[in-house]
Amino acid sequence: MGARKFIGNPKQPTFFVCNLVDGEYQMTPFTGNTPIVSPTFPQFNLSAQEIFDLALYLG
């Protein structure tokens, strides 16, 4: 899985999934309540917002 970055206008928390393809990483962004899709972890069942909410709760 990738790093947390802020993108958009207005800026919004974004979770990236990085996938190595032909020696280069392809970054797929996920924001809000869109389910995160990972080829490495196909059973992963969280949205970006759920991860950010959990980080605030645990932090």
Side-chain angles (χ1 to χ4, degrees), residues 5-33:
K5 292 186 178 183
F6 291 88
I7 62 169
N9 189 12
K11 293 180 180 178
Q12 56 186 315
T14 304
F15 191 88
F16 287 85
V17 172
C18 301
N19 189 30
L20 187 61
V21 177
D22 295 329
E24 291 188 32
Y25 281 101
Q26 294 181 346
M27 296 175 61
T28 305
F30 296 91
T31 59
N33 291 316

